[in-house]
Amino acid sequence: MHFSIPETEVRSGENGSTYVAYNIHVNGVLHCRVRYSQLLGLHEQIKKEYGSNVVPAFPPKKIFTLTPAEVEQRREQLEKYMQAVRQDPLLGASEMFNSFLRKAQQETQQIPTEDVALDICLSNGQKVTVNILTSDQTEDVLDAVATKLDLPDDLVGYFSLFLIREGVDGGLTFVRKLQEFELPYVSITSLRSSEFHILLRKSYWDMAYDGDVMDNRVGLNLLYAQTVSDIERSWILVNKDQHRQLKSLQEKGSKKEFIHLGQTLKYYGYIKFDPCITDFPEKGCQVIVSAGNNELNFHVKLPNEQMKEGSFKVTRMRCWRVTSSQVPIANGTTNPCSSSKCEVKLELAFEYLMSKDRLQWVTITSQQAIMMSICLQSMVDELMVKKSGGSIKKMLRKRHNGSIHRPDSQQAVKSPPLLDSPDPNREQIVKLSITLSDKEPCWEI
């Protein structure tokens, strides 16, 4: 997740006085609006609970009213503080930090705690309506959906809730996976658009785990619906003969056999992203990126209009990072950015082992860069668990319960040049690459 505080606001208090509000954005979208005193209170709580040596530096109090320059300096310091807390595997996963963000989100959107009905979409277009509280967090909503569907507790962790946007042409954009620090009802309501929905979808990558899901009737139906949907959207490639076989299995109601055939098809289980821009193999190339099978797949349109396809294996990525910057919306002016004249530019860059002794950075410019990063991290999580002989079932359940957290490989920064990743898993990923992947790169031009 990318945390930033790109702007401040001067707001009126209850007694008519004014104060500076700091707008915390997640993935470039306003999550909550907080005062310095609220963040100071959180800092003091964290310090008391975890000790001064664990907590990052916090901007000091000021006796006198801040000048505009001092407000800007404090904004930058608070942004770095929030990013540092979120990146810390202990603090970023703490209930103290996450509950602060949930409460601030609810207060910012001014949505009182009350009973509501929330629609959750399934892959087949059907909706499941769950009765929840507006203050229910992501895990609570996921549990409510599982209960409504009669999905067993030990399979809940195999699924996640995703915020998606449906285009007028039926296209599907994955905005993000809903996180433990947000309230799904508040998140979807605050967008104030019928284009956005919450979707239930499987949250693992290795198709070997499909067997666990298919052993249960509800799990089988969910996986079948997702497979059918991905084929209909052309996310999974099917030739005429395979299409005929699939149609026959559908008519017979042979869901398991349908999925087994689907598993043999190209791009089974992948998430497809919107068209974006890459600098590989040449700067400014249009590309369609898909994530799955422990890789990022590229469909690149070269400047000469020629199409090329290639894959970057996660086991050959030394590290990756996400950065953001404020860029002016083209309007013919050279005025500095303001919240109404700028947009957030997101980039995912990864360092890739192109050959035995040659590393190269590859950059993707996409508004879904953070979602791509989350996909990469979850692939690495699965590979590390598998390599250590651990249980994917336990990992998924722990992930669902919020008791495990891996920091993003790179917390995005506001505008400076790309920085090296502070990811503590960096060396592990390098070792994994050497152990699991000794082939030449799979990209061919």
Side-chain angles (χ1 to χ4, degrees):
M1 288 291 106
H2 166 225
F3 278 67
S4 64
I5 304 178
E7 67 215 5
T8 60
E9 290 182 37
V10 176
R11 300 182 68 86
S12 299
E14 294 179 359
N15 57 0
S17 61
T18 59
Y19 65 91
V20 175
Y22 297 86
N23 294 347
I24 298 176
H25 287 228
V26 178
N27 292 11
V29 177
L30 177 67
H31 178 79
C32 60
R33 191 179 291 114
V34 297
R35 301 173 71 153
Y36 170 84
S37 58
Q38 290 176 281
L39 290 174
L40 177 60
L42 170 67
H43 174 70
E44 294 296 338
Q45 281 184 292
I46 292 176
K47 191 164 64 172
K48 183 178 179 181
E49 179 72 21
Y50 296 100
S52 302
N53 59 325
V54 176
V55 185
F58 192 83
K61 289 182 181 179
K62 300 280 186 179
I63 299 175
F64 302 105
T65 303
L66 272 61
T67 65
E70 288 173 327
V71 169
E72 174 60 16
Q73 182 184 40
R74 177 176 280 182
R75 180 199 64 75
E76 291 179 353
Q77 292 171 335
L78 289 174
E79 180 176 76
K80 289 178 181 177
Y81 176 82
M82 291 297 292
Q83 291 173 352
V85 171
R86 174 60 184 173
Q87 279 185 292
D88 187 284
L90 180 66
L91 305 181
S94 68
E95 178 56 23
M96 186 180 296
F97 181 63
N98 291 323
S99 62
F100 172 85
L101 289 171
R102 291 194 296 265
K103 183 179 178 183
Q105 182 191 25
Q106 188 176 12
E107 289 177 350
T108 298
Q109 299 300 334
Q110 298 182 328
I111 295 177
T113 298
E114 58 186 7
D115 293 312
V116 290
L118 179 64
D119 288 336
I120 306 296
C121 296
L122 304 181
S123 295
N124 60 3
Q126 293 182 341
K127 292 182 179 179
V128 176
T129 302
V130 290
N131 296 313
I132 61 165
L133 289 172
T134 53
S135 57
D136 279 344
Q137 62 197 68
T138 301
E139 182 183 341
D140 297 328
V141 176
L142 181 56
D143 283 334
V145 176
T147 300
K148 191 73 177 281
L149 293 172
D150 201 23
L151 183 69
D153 286 347
D154 63 344
L155 291 183
V156 177
Y158 285 68
F159 294 87
S160 291
L161 299 176
F162 294 85
L163 179 65
I164 61 167
R165 185 175 71 245
E166 195 167 6
V168 291
D169 58 351
L172 201 65
T173 298
F174 277 77
V175 179
R176 68 175 184 273
K177 183 162 78 171
L178 295 183
Q179 300 294 309
E180 68 275 15
F181 57 75
E182 63 183 311
L183 310 176
Y185 178 84
V186 177
S187 294
I188 195 76
T189 303
S190 64
L191 292 169
R192 296 177 177 84
S193 172
S194 59
E195 292 181 350
F196 292 92
H197 308 283
I198 298 175
L199 174 73
L200 180 72
R201 185 181 171 92
K202 75 174 186 179
S203 59
Y204 59 90
W205 300 98
D206 192 333
M207 69 175 70
Y209 306 124
D210 285 347
D212 296 341
V213 177
M214 289 192 290
D215 283 342
N216 173 263
R217 175 185 58 84
V218 179
L220 172 62
N221 288 336
L222 290 171
L223 192 56
Y224 172 74
Q226 179 177 314
T227 307
V228 171
S229 173
D230 287 357
I231 290 173
E232 289 176 346
R233 293 183 184 279
S234 298
W235 285 17
I236 298 174
L237 297 188
V238 181
N239 61 34
K240 288 184 179 179
D241 184 51
Q242 292 162 341
H243 185 272
R244 196 160 42 245
Q245 294 178 56
L246 289 167
K247 189 175 181 182
S248 175
L249 291 171
Q250 264 188 306
E251 291 170 350
K252 294 176 184 176
S254 304
K255 296 179 180 179
K256 279 191 178 182
E257 290 78 5
F258 185 97
I259 294 170
H260 286 316
L261 177 55
Q263 290 172 333
T264 67
L265 304 178
K266 196 169 184 179
Y267 306 131
Y268 173 83
Y270 282 61
I271 285 180
K272 191 174 183 179
F273 299 98
D274 294 344
C276 52
I277 302 296
T278 181
D279 64 356
F280 188 90
E282 299 178 44
K283 190 174 181 179
C285 287
Q286 296 178 36
V287 61
I288 295 178
V289 180
S290 300
N293 193 31
N294 298 321
E295 69 180 23
L296 288 183
N297 179 272
F298 276 31
H299 253 93
V300 175
K301 186 177 183 180
L302 299 174
N304 62 5
E305 301 298 311
Q306 188 179 5
M307 297 297 297
K308 290 289 184 179
E309 181 186 359
S311 296
F312 296 95
K313 295 291 184 182
V314 70
T315 50
R316 298 180 70 84
M317 293 180 187
R318 183 166 177 260
C319 62
W320 68 87
R321 62 207 180 190
V322 174
T323 58
S324 75
S325 58
Q326 298 274 340
V327 294
I329 297 173
N331 57 5
T333 69
T334 56
N335 291 337
C337 281
S338 68
S339 59
S340 61
K341 296 178 183 176
C342 277
E343 60 184 2
V344 176
K345 177 184 177 183
L346 294 172
E347 291 184 337
L348 170 72
F350 55 88
E351 193 175 22
Y352 196 73
L353 190 63
M354 292 291 179
S355 57
K356 189 175 181 180
D357 56 357
R358 185 169 74 90
L359 286 161
Q360 180 178 334
W361 282 99
V362 177
T363 301
I364 305 165
T365 303
S366 168
Q367 289 306 109
Q368 295 173 286
I370 296 162
M371 182 68 191
M372 293 178 192
S373 175
I374 289 171
C375 290
L376 290 175
Q377 186 63 64
S378 59
M379 288 178 195
V380 171
D381 286 346
E382 281 190 23
L383 286 170
M384 296 302 291
V385 169
K386 196 171 185 178
K387 186 170 179 282
S388 65
S391 166
I392 188 71
K393 245 183 185 181
K394 289 181 181 177
M395 186 195 89
L396 290 169
R397 190 62 208 175
K398 283 180 181 178
R399 183 192 294 166
H400 172 56
N401 287 337
S403 56
I404 115 172
H405 171 76
R406 288 180 181 271
D408 296 339
S409 284
Q410 165 70 19
Q411 172 63 52
V413 292
K414 180 172 179 280
S415 57
L418 296 174
L419 304 174
D420 281 343
S421 167
D423 183 11
N425 298 315
R426 178 175 177 140
E427 289 306 314
Q428 289 179 303
I429 297 174
V430 175
K431 291 174 185 175
L432 191 67
S433 301
I434 296 168
T435 304
L436 300 182
S437 181
D438 54 2
K439 298 179 182 178
E440 288 303 300
C442 45
W443 182 275
E444 296 178 358
I445 291 292

